[in-house]
Amino acid sequence: MTTARDIMHQGAECVGEQETLVNVAKRMVRHGIGSMLVCDADQRMRGIITDRDIVVKCLAEGHDPQSMTAGELAQGTPIAVPPDADVRHVLQTMEDHQIRRLPVVEEDRPVGVISEADLARHVSEAQMGHFVEAIAAAR
């Protein structure tokens, strides 16, 4: 059985809830990634921020990225799976919530992230086709 741990990128990047969005964006550029997990002081995941979130929910709405924090932007209950989740559960979770990146969390602490590219390397063509179709249909 293929699990989330088998397909995830290990060592998820976290930013603190008080980090400004300018700093978050700079870290994304430095690491060549399009999303960052938001964690509290105890390194428990509180949310996820994408580069698109910064543009749409901060800049386009007239907020100041030098004062708006990661914690302000990453609101709501984060969606995640445990490392032992079966790949079918991973796919279903991503489809159900219409997300392209899925944190893998153990004891509330992130241990990795699964992206579309990770899925493409580990699932069948048919499964990937269904996933892409399901995500595209939601837009």
Side-chain angles (χ1 to χ4, degrees):
M1 167 178 84
T2 303
T3 65
R5 186 181 306 278
D6 297 328
I7 65 175
M8 71 183 187
H9 274 90
Q10 300 224 2
E13 283 291 321
C14 273
V15 295
E17 294 175 292
Q18 299 307 314
E19 189 104 21
T20 68
L21 296 183
V22 165
N23 290 338
V24 173
K26 287 178 181 179
R27 286 181 67 178
M28 285 180 183
V29 169
R30 189 170 44 249
H31 294 291
I33 56 178
S35 67
M36 300 281 302
L37 300 181
V38 179
C39 296
D40 65 15
D42 293 324
Q43 293 302 302
R44 288 187 173 85
M45 190 180 83
R46 296 294 178 229
I48 187 169
I49 293 178
T50 66
D51 46 9
R52 186 174 192 280
D53 290 335
I54 294 171
V55 171
V56 173
K57 296 177 183 175
C58 177
L59 297 175
E61 292 183 8
H63 299 288
D64 179 6
Q66 293 187 44
S67 62
M68 188 172 197
T69 66
E72 290 173 304
L73 189 63
Q75 299 174 356
T77 304
I79 307 300
V81 294
D84 62 349
D86 180 84
V87 71
R88 290 176 304 220
H89 177 69
V90 168
L91 279 166
Q92 192 63 55
T93 300
M94 292 174 82
E95 287 176 20
D96 290 348
H97 296 281
Q98 301 296 305
I99 55 178
R100 297 172 187 274
R101 298 169 185 95
L102 181 64
V104 180
V105 176
E106 191 166 40
E107 297 178 19
D108 292 329
R109 290 178 173 81
V111 294
V113 176
I114 298 171
S115 68
E116 281 182 285
D118 298 322
L119 288 175
R121 287 189 293 273
H122 293 91
V123 302
S124 72
E125 235 178 87
Q127 286 174 307
M128 195 63 200
H130 182 268
F131 172 76
V132 170
E133 187 176 299
I135 296 294
R139 295 209 173 235

